[in-house]
């Protein structure tokens, strides 16, 4: 999907628009691929890690552009980055309103990280705790968008 590149801050107006459009389009394709995983086959490795990687790689593209919207000396760059920031915000909102992805993250949470009041905290290792935190964080984005509510209330 994405190549791993360091963030850059020397975008041209044309590059800002094309990079944001490309980033959003590639994310949409990647999310659709994750949504095709049958629910009962979703795991931490094939869903959560991939979803997190997609989001992290995309942020390497859009975060520098968001910064340019605030600090670019060139007004045309600043204005273009501000316009792109609106696209990014809409993309980020749509990302956490994807029903199929929400159901898959919820499935992984319930299957691999069930809540249990009798759970002995010392029985889990640090990596499992970090995995649980990641799943909870991803799920939290969906919950903040109201995905846990019945469709009529969203």
């Amino acid at each position: 999907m994405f190549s791993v590149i360091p963030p850059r801050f020397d975008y041209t107006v044309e590059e800002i628009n094309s990079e944001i459009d490309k980033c959003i389009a590639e994310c949409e394709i990647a999310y659709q691929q994750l949504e095709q995983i049958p629910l009962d086959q979703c795991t931490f490795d094939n869903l959560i890690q991939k979803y997190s990687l997609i989001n992290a790689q995309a942020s390497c593209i859009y975060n520098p552009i968001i910064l340019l919207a605030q600090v670019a000396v060139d007004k045309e760059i600043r204005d273009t980055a501000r316009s792109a920031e609106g696209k990014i915000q809409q993309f980020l909102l749509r990302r956490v309103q994807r029903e199929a992805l929400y159901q898959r993250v919820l499935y992984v949470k319930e299957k691999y990280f069930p809540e249990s009041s009798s759970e002995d905290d010392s029985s889990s290792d640090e990596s499992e705790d970090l995995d649980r935190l990641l799943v909870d964080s991803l799920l939290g984005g969906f919950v903040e968008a109201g995905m846990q509510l019945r469709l009529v209330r969203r």
Side-chain angles (χ1 to χ4, degrees), residues 32-51:
Q32 290 169 6
Q33 291 171 346
L34 293 177
E35 291 169 339
Q36 297 303 312
I37 301 170
L39 191 62
D40 64 346
Q41 293 177 23
C42 291
T43 66
F44 185 86
D45 292 339
N46 74 0
L47 181 80
I48 302 301
Q49 284 184 343
K50 288 182 181 179
Y51 183 55

Side-chain angles (χ1 to χ4, degrees), residues 32-144:
Q32 290 169 6
Q33 291 171 346
L34 293 177
E35 291 169 339
Q36 297 303 312
I37 301 170
L39 191 62
D40 64 346
Q41 293 177 23
C42 291
T43 66
F44 185 86
D45 292 339
N46 74 0
L47 181 80
I48 302 301
Q49 284 184 343
K50 288 182 181 179
Y51 183 55
S52 297
L53 182 60
I54 294 163
N55 295 340
Q57 290 174 325
S59 73
C60 289
I61 302 296
Y62 64 72
N63 280 336
I65 292 172
I66 290 173
L67 181 62
L68 286 174
Q70 306 305 314
V71 302
V73 175
D74 184 287
K75 183 177 179 346
E76 189 177 14
I77 295 288
R78 201 171 49 248
D79 290 346
T80 302
R82 284 186 182 138
S83 175
E85 187 175 13
K87 287 182 188 179
I88 295 163
Q89 294 303 326
Q90 287 187 5
F91 159 72
L92 294 174
L93 181 59
R94 283 192 320 269
R95 176 179 76 187
V96 293
Q97 293 178 331
R98 297 179 79 102
E99 178 70 29
L101 269 177
Y102 168 67
Q103 291 300 326
R104 281 155 178 75
V105 173
L106 183 60
Y107 174 84
V108 170
K109 163 78 173 162
E110 292 172 349
K111 182 171 182 181
Y112 298 100
F113 306 102
E115 298 297 327
S116 174
S117 58
S118 64
E119 182 179 14
D120 178 10
D121 290 337
S122 64
S123 68
S124 65
D125 64 26
E126 187 175 340
S127 65
E128 183 178 314
D129 291 342
L130 292 174
D131 292 351
R132 180 186 300 271
L133 283 172
L134 177 57
V135 172
D136 287 345
S137 174
L138 294 176
L139 198 55
F142 288 104
V143 170
E144 286 176 14

Side-chain angles (χ1 to χ4, degrees), residues 18-32:
S18 68
E19 287 295 313
I20 290 302
D21 291 343
K22 179 182 170 190
C23 176
I24 291 170
E26 288 180 358
C27 284
E28 292 292 337
I29 291 168
Y31 294 153
Q32 290 169 6

